[in-house]
Amino acid sequence: MGLIKLLVLAVVVFAGITLWRRLQAGRNRQGGAAASRNTPETMVRCRRCQVHIPQNKALRSNQDWYCCDEHRDADHDD
Ligand SMILES: [Zn+2]
């Protein structure tokens, strides 16, 4: 009887360690994914040609975004 209890205890401990390791691995994976993802780039649309460009590469004029100086200036000439 004592041997069976010991066996059950060993299984419980083994299962606990396995579960704990999985949780640790999952946490590490999530952390790595979050770090590599960085901040997602916001895409904006050029008011003139409707092309989508990252916001950090776009030119802003009032409330509108443009892909280049030409389109920004052209839109202002209208
Ligand atoms: Zn454009």
Side-chain angles (χ1 to χ4, degrees):
M1 211 56 178
L3 191 70
I4 291 171
K5 274 188 183 175
L6 200 72
L7 206 70
V8 169
L9 190 72
V11 168
V12 168
V13 168
F14 179 77
I17 289 168
T18 306
L19 196 72
W20 183 77
R21 279 186 180 171
R22 275 190 194 171
L23 284 171
Q24 290 294 308
R27 212 173 288 165
N28 289 344
R29 219 176 296 138
Q30 281 175 357
S36 64
R37 212 183 298 143
N38 289 328
T39 47
E41 271 190 303
T42 308
M43 299 297 280
V44 293
R45 199 169 62 175
C46 174
R47 200 186 162 208
R48 188 76 180 174
C49 66
Q50 314 296 308
V51 78
H52 284 84
I53 32 170
Q55 199 179 64
N56 62 354
K57 290 193 178 101
L59 298 165
R60 188 161 197 186
S61 179
N62 301 322
Q63 302 298 313
D64 303 312
W65 292 97
Y66 298 93
C67 67
C68 56
D69 289 316
E70 286 78 26
H71 285 177
R72 185 186 58 189
D73 296 341
D75 212 40
H76 280 225
D77 292 340
D78 290 346

